[in-house]
Amino acid sequence: MARTLINVPKAATAGEVVTIKTLISHPMETGFRPGADGRIRPRDIITDFTCLYDGEPVFRAELFPAAAANPYLTFTLRATRTGTLTFTWRGDNGFVQTETATLTVT
Amino acid sequence: MLAALATGSAGAGEIPPAEIPPSEIPPAERRSSFDGMSPDIQAMQRDADANPGLLWLQDGADLWSTAPAPDRPACAGCHGEAATAMRGVAARYPTWDEATAAPIDLQGRINACRRRHQGAEPYAYESRELLGLTAYVAAQSAGLPITTPADARLGSARSAGRALFTRRMGQLGLSCAACHDGNHGRRLGAALIPQGHPTGYPLYRLEWQGLGSVQRRLRNCMTGMRAEPFAYGAPEFVALERYLMDRAAPLPMETPAVRP
């Protein structure tokens, strides 16, 4: 399991635009660099990130080899109801990681 | 023109005498390289959600409380809470190691502790484990001023570190002091030359795309000077670290820092 840091505001008012910040530990190996033995290291990157708000997709990003290691993604969404945010990172070699957080709307 | 060239080449065979400014940076003028960074990278270091060094800190926190073997204590088993037990520790390292009667830095102390008290193999330098644990311990001192222990036994390490800092080395004939004492605040290509204070190690360097120790940084600099870098854990590095920490006091610790 990769390490992640997720910041969701503790509480929001209905209709408020909130900022979500996510950071995940990942080497994002480009597939273009030679290793210590001179061979090209195989590509190992995160290719897709999605955020679901109570099952409904609210943000999605495709990532490519130019993205830096430990990708930091931040985005905004309109808080309408108390619900669960599900973050999923998918990548090469079957990499899948899912984290959840609760957004409380008052 | 020809005459000037001839005169110029006549002296080229001799190594010029070391022209190092003798004065060190006065304490009031010491600046962390944090001040010279772009606002974006400063924000990345400050923001507890964007600083990638915190990912290593999570590893370190786990290792702190995990026993290496069922019959051996975890770090927390002897030291307790890191937040209280390790507060201010990194700000006074490298220090004197009684067992080996030699100076020891924080990474060396962690590995020595593993061997002596946990009966475990030391971690490899620059491994995720050693960097994580070192960063976790050092982060407990974040914000505290670097102090200079008054231990007289560290005197020889201090003077050896100072000598290494001012000694010309490598094919370019540079010394640490040539840039960091004599020309800090000016530019080397596009990069700002910092005063060279190790306030935030282990730190996340964007160029490395990962966390690295002060020794990795020093080896980097030595390669840039076209000198042969000392090996990881070499006594020369411990002496240099001791001198650099004296030279940086009383700047606050910043671990885990972010640098370009």
Side-chain angles (χ1 to χ4, degrees):
Chain A
M1 290 288 277
R3 299 282 183 185
T4 56
L5 277 173
I6 295 166
N7 181 285
V8 174
K10 284 195 178 66
T13 51
E16 187 184 346
V17 174
V18 295
T19 304
I20 314 289
K21 301 174 186 174
T22 68
L23 181 67
I24 185 165
S25 176
H26 197 283
M28 296 296 279
E29 186 58 57
T30 61
F32 298 113
R33 302 193 308 160
D37 60 356
R39 292 170 193 273
I40 298 293
R41 292 174 173 183
R43 194 184 89 162
D44 180 17
I45 64 168
I46 291 171
T47 50
D48 187 85
F49 169 79
T50 52
C51 173
L52 307 180
Y53 187 11
D54 272 345
E56 178 199 348
V58 286
F59 181 82
R60 178 165 176 266
E62 285 177 41
L63 285 90
F64 294 93
N70 311 312
Y72 171 65
L73 292 168
T74 176
F75 53 93
T76 54
L77 58 85
R78 190 175 296 280
T80 51
R81 60 194 180 278
T82 297
T84 306
L85 293 169
T86 310
F87 307 93
T88 307
W89 293 262
R90 288 173 202 282
D92 294 334
N93 309 316
F95 179 87
V96 182
Q97 177 140 356
T98 302
E99 301 285 337
T100 55
T102 305
L103 180 60
T104 309
V105 174
T106 50
Chain B
M1 186 63 197
L2 275 176
L5 277 175
T7 329
S9 62
E14 299 160 28
I15 298 163
E19 295 154 25
I20 303 302
S23 61
E24 293 178 38
I25 304 162
E29 288 169 30
R30 294 175 187 173
R31 296 284 177 270
S32 164
S33 43
F34 179 87
D35 299 353
M37 301 196 303
S38 73
D40 290 346
I41 304 176
Q42 289 185 347
M44 192 175 177
Q45 175 174 326
R46 281 201 200 98
D47 187 346
D49 304 304
N51 185 337
L54 297 170
L55 298 167
W56 274 258
L57 247 63
Q58 293 180 354
D59 286 342
D62 273 7
L63 290 168
W64 180 263
S65 51
T66 310
D71 56 337
R72 295 286 186 172
C75 307
C78 297
H79 296 286
E81 280 293 314
T84 46
M86 293 294 120
R87 190 177 150 81
V89 169
R92 59 172 184 265
Y93 263 70
T95 182
W96 187 258
D97 181 34
E98 301 283 353
T100 54
I104 192 165
D105 64 1
L106 194 55
Q107 296 189 92
R109 170 65 76 201
I110 287 169
N111 269 339
C113 223
R114 268 182 75 75
R115 205 183 298 109
R116 287 177 208 156
H117 306 300
Q118 296 187 313
E121 280 299 300
Y123 293 124
Y125 278 93
E126 302 307 304
S127 63
R128 194 165 174 108
E129 291 84 4
L130 185 57
L131 288 172
L133 205 44
T134 310
Y136 181 66
V137 170
Q140 310 306 325
S141 306
L144 297 177
I146 292 171
T147 56
T148 53
D151 194 334
R153 294 170 298 182
L154 291 169
S156 63
R158 292 195 155 107
S159 51
R162 164 89 183 143
L164 284 165
F165 190 81
T166 50
R167 190 180 84 192
R168 284 178 189 273
M169 52 176 98
Q171 292 174 328
L172 298 181
L174 291 168
S175 67
C176 312
C179 285
H180 299 291
D181 266 357
N183 286 299
H184 60 80
R186 299 172 73 181
R187 284 185 183 274
L188 188 64
L192 186 72
I193 301 174
Q195 293 184 353
H197 298 307
T199 51
Y201 286 95
L203 56 74
Y204 191 91
R205 207 165 164 228
L206 300 183
E207 186 189 317
W208 293 337
Q209 307 252 308
L211 210 69
S213 70
V214 64
Q215 296 196 4
R216 179 170 179 191
R217 176 67 258 200
L218 292 171
R219 283 171 59 89
N220 233 211
C221 246
M222 290 181 78
T223 309
M225 292 154 73
R226 298 196 200 162
E228 190 177 333
F230 304 123
Y232 279 111
E236 285 89 346
F237 275 145
V238 180
L240 253 177
E241 282 177 54
R242 183 60 264 157
Y243 173 68
L244 289 174
M245 289 294 270
D246 291 343
R247 188 176 166 273
L251 289 174
M253 292 286 294
E254 295 172 48
T255 308
V258 177
R259 294 288 181 268

